[in-house]
Amino acid sequence: MFPIRNGLKQGDALSPLLFNSALEYAIRRVQVNQDGLKLNGTHQLMAYADNVNILGGSVDTVKKNAENLVAASKEIGLDVNAHTIKYMTVSRDQNAGRIHSVRIDKSSIERVEEFKYLGTTLSNQNSIQEEIKSRLKSGNACYYTVQNLLSSRLLSKNLKIKIYRNIILPVVLYGCETWSLTLMEERRLRRRLKTGC
C-alpha cells in the first residue's frame, strides 16, 4: 500500500494500463448468468480495450449480465456511459426483441439493427452484404489516396501490383476470415478485386 497524491494526466502512458487492469478486474467479478451463450464450453463476455460485448440466449440474460457488469464497474470507480450502450437481437424473425424495453441503471438502452465492432459492421440479420459494401468503399477511398502512385510512369508494373496487394487489398479484406459468404457474394467480391475495387 502506498499513498497516491497526484492523478494521471491525460495521454499518460500508464493510463490505458490502469484502465485495462480495472476493467479486467470488473469483468472477472461479474457472475455470468448460466443462460448466457456458450462458445467452446464457456459463457461469453468479450472485451477489447473499452469495447465490451455480452452475448446471451435471450434479451433478459444479456440485460442481467450487463447490470452485473455495470455494478461491478461502479464498485471499483469506473463509470459506464449508459448512452453508449446498445443492444441487438440476431434472429431470422424480424420482430424478435422489439417488445423488450431494456433499461440499465435508470437509462433506456437503444435497440439497433446493426453496429460497428472493431471495424466490422454486424447486422441483426447476420448478413455480410453491408460489410462487403463498406469494405469496398474503404478500398476505393484507399485507391484514390494512392492513385498518383498507381498511374505514375516512373513505377514499374510489379511495384504497382505490390502497392495494390500491400495497401489496398488488406483494407478491403479486413476481417474477411469471419465472413460467411454466399456463392453470389463471393463471385461479386472476386470480380471487384480483379478489377481493382
Side-chain angles (χ1 to χ4, degrees):
M1 299 284 288
F2 55 91
I4 298 174
R5 293 186 181 87
N6 293 328
L8 294 174
K9 304 240 185 278
Q10 186 170 357
D12 191 315
L14 190 56
S15 186
L17 181 66
L18 291 175
F19 173 78
N20 286 340
S21 297
L23 183 60
E24 183 174 345
Y25 177 79
I27 288 171
R28 289 180 188 271
R29 294 210 37 180
V30 172
Q31 295 296 317
V32 177
N33 190 315
Q34 296 304 305
D35 295 331
L37 183 67
K38 273 190 173 183
L39 295 174
N40 296 328
T42 60
H43 295 285
Q44 294 301 300
L45 187 145
M46 301 182 304
Y48 181 81
D50 63 346
N51 292 308
V52 178
N53 280 331
I54 301 171
L55 306 177
S58 70
V59 175
D60 292 329
T61 300
V62 172
K63 179 182 175 187
K64 190 173 192 176
N65 289 336
E67 287 170 343
N68 290 342
L69 181 60
V70 169
S73 299
K74 281 187 175 183
E75 283 179 22
I76 59 170
L78 292 177
D79 288 328
V80 177
N81 185 353
H83 301 294
T84 62
I85 300 174
K86 297 174 179 17
Y87 82 97
M88 181 175 75
T89 305
V90 178
S91 174
R92 291 183 180 157
D93 179 10
Q94 293 281 348
N95 295 320
R98 290 192 190 275
I99 57 169
H100 293 279
S101 173
V102 178
R103 298 181 68 78
I104 295 176
D105 202 26
K106 300 178 186 172
S107 297
S108 184
I109 306 304
E110 178 187 1
R111 180 183 185 276
V112 294
E113 306 292 321
E114 66 181 31
F115 70 94
K116 213 163 189 67
Y117 181 68
L118 302 180
T120 302
T121 304
L122 304 172
S123 74
N124 66 343
Q125 295 298 307
N126 202 19
S127 169
I128 203 66
Q129 290 176 353
E130 289 304 314
E131 177 62 14
I132 291 172
K133 284 182 191 174
S134 172
R135 293 279 106 214
L136 289 172
K137 195 176 189 181
S138 296
N140 283 335
C142 186
Y143 168 80
Y144 287 114
T145 60
V146 295
Q147 186 178 16
N148 290 340
L149 291 173
L150 296 175
S151 61
S152 171
R153 294 181 184 194
L154 300 174
L155 300 179
S156 69
K157 182 179 178 182
N158 286 339
L159 190 54
K160 291 176 184 179
I161 290 171
K162 283 183 180 181
I163 290 171
Y164 172 76
R165 286 186 180 155
N166 293 310
I167 296 176
I168 299 171
L169 209 53
V171 170
V172 174
L173 297 178
Y174 175 80
C176 68
E177 301 87 0
T178 62
W179 296 352
S180 55
L181 299 173
T182 63
L183 192 57
M184 186 178 82
E185 290 167 338
E186 185 177 341
R187 285 180 184 150
R188 179 174 167 245
L189 189 58
R190 284 184 189 276
R191 194 170 47 247
R192 291 292 300 267
L193 292 176
K194 281 182 183 178
T195 61
C197 295

